[in-house]
Amino acid sequence: MSERSPNPPRLERWDRRMEAPLAVASVAYLAGYAVRILAHSHLSAGWLDVILVLTLTSWALFVVDYAVRLRLSGLGPLRFLRTHLLDTVVVILPLLRPVRMVSIYNQIQRRHDEPRLGLYARVMVYSGLTVALLGFAGALTVYHYEADAPGASILTFGDAVWWTCATLATVGYGDVVPVTPMGRVVAVGVMACGLALLGAVTGSFSSWLIQSFRREDEKDGDGGRPPGNSPGAS
């Protein structure tokens, strides 16, 4: 049985209509979250409340979009969850909401008959954007929970960014490490992102090299063959 919606035109129209609002909501959520973490001591309680309302409104927009897409898909909740796993995770986990920007960019690219970037380039671009957004959000979260924790070594946002970069690169120097439970949960997610990025980029680059060498071999073979339909043609 097909996994696609039985009424795709309505769902596609909704997706197109929500591309810009969801992209704005993703940026607003990440910006609001960053301001609340990095500038909370420099803002009044009124401004912090405004930013909190902004982030909650962004989250509410994701929830409304998820509910409408579930309705328009014509699928049951469990089947919709299986076929739209990223959307489900993005609604549940605030840390992953910036990834929605990459998903929206991917939808726009797929609607073009000839995307601007090739397959392997798109894989690397999407992986890089995803890891950059998740890395920034992860650094914010780790800094938020670690900065005031007893015995913490991540005391500034710079420490959090350094730790995130080292973890994403699968280096793991160990000079700064999270000590709180939430910080360690985020660390597991950052490690998984780093491994996924390494695998995606390495696999795409290897496939690109193999294709390039194959094309060169085919050109060399065609160039050494005399023209005509038979090997002995002149």
Side-chain angles (χ1 to χ4, degrees):
M1 183 178 297
S2 175
E3 297 290 343
R4 292 183 62 84
S5 168
N7 193 11
R10 293 177 62 194
L11 187 56
E12 289 176 0
R13 285 197 299 270
W14 174 261
D15 287 339
R16 286 195 296 269
R17 190 177 298 121
M18 292 302 294
E19 279 172 359
L22 288 178
V24 172
S26 299
V27 174
Y29 180 87
L30 186 59
Y33 184 58
V35 170
R36 280 185 60 85
I37 298 300
L38 300 178
H40 67 279
S41 60
H42 303 287
L43 297 176
S44 64
W47 277 110
L48 291 175
D49 291 339
V50 170
I51 296 171
L52 178 61
V53 170
L54 177 65
T55 54
L56 292 178
T57 302
S58 302
W59 176 76
L61 186 60
F62 283 103
V63 174
V64 170
D65 174 70
Y66 187 85
V68 172
R69 295 180 69 204
L70 172 61
R71 171 96 179 176
L72 295 179
S73 69
L75 303 174
L78 293 179
R79 189 177 176 191
F80 185 83
L81 188 150
R82 290 197 306 268
T83 56
H84 299 79
L85 186 59
L86 176 61
D87 296 326
T88 305
V89 173
V90 164
V91 169
I92 297 173
L93 297 179
L95 184 63
L96 299 181
R97 281 171 204 152
V99 178
R100 197 68 173 85
M101 288 185 287
V102 181
S103 177
I104 293 170
Y105 177 73
N106 185 33
Q107 292 174 9
I108 295 172
Q109 287 288 310
R110 277 163 42 182
R111 283 208 300 270
H112 292 81
D113 293 333
E114 295 182 359
R116 296 179 180 178
L117 298 176
L119 173 62
Y120 303 125
R122 290 203 304 273
V123 170
M124 288 187 281
V125 168
Y126 296 157
S127 300
L129 287 174
T130 301
V131 170
L133 291 170
L134 288 180
F136 181 63
L140 288 171
T141 305
V142 167
Y143 172 64
H144 174 62
Y145 287 98
E146 295 287 323
D148 299 323
S153 56
I154 301 176
L155 303 177
T156 65
F157 183 63
D159 293 337
V161 171
W162 166 250
W163 169 83
T164 303
C165 292
T167 306
L168 284 173
T170 67
V171 175
Y173 284 111
D175 52 346
V176 288
V177 294
V179 297
T180 63
M182 181 57 69
R184 290 176 177 176
V185 169
V186 174
V188 173
V190 173
M191 293 174 197
C193 290
L195 292 174
L197 173 67
L198 182 63
V201 173
T202 302
S204 298
F205 184 69
S206 300
S207 298
W208 176 77
L209 283 178
I210 292 172
Q211 273 203 350
S212 298
F213 291 149
R214 183 178 294 130
R215 284 196 296 265
E216 290 296 328
D217 291 340
E218 290 174 354
K219 288 180 181 179
D220 292 341
D222 293 340
R225 182 182 300 168
N229 296 327
S230 64
S234 59

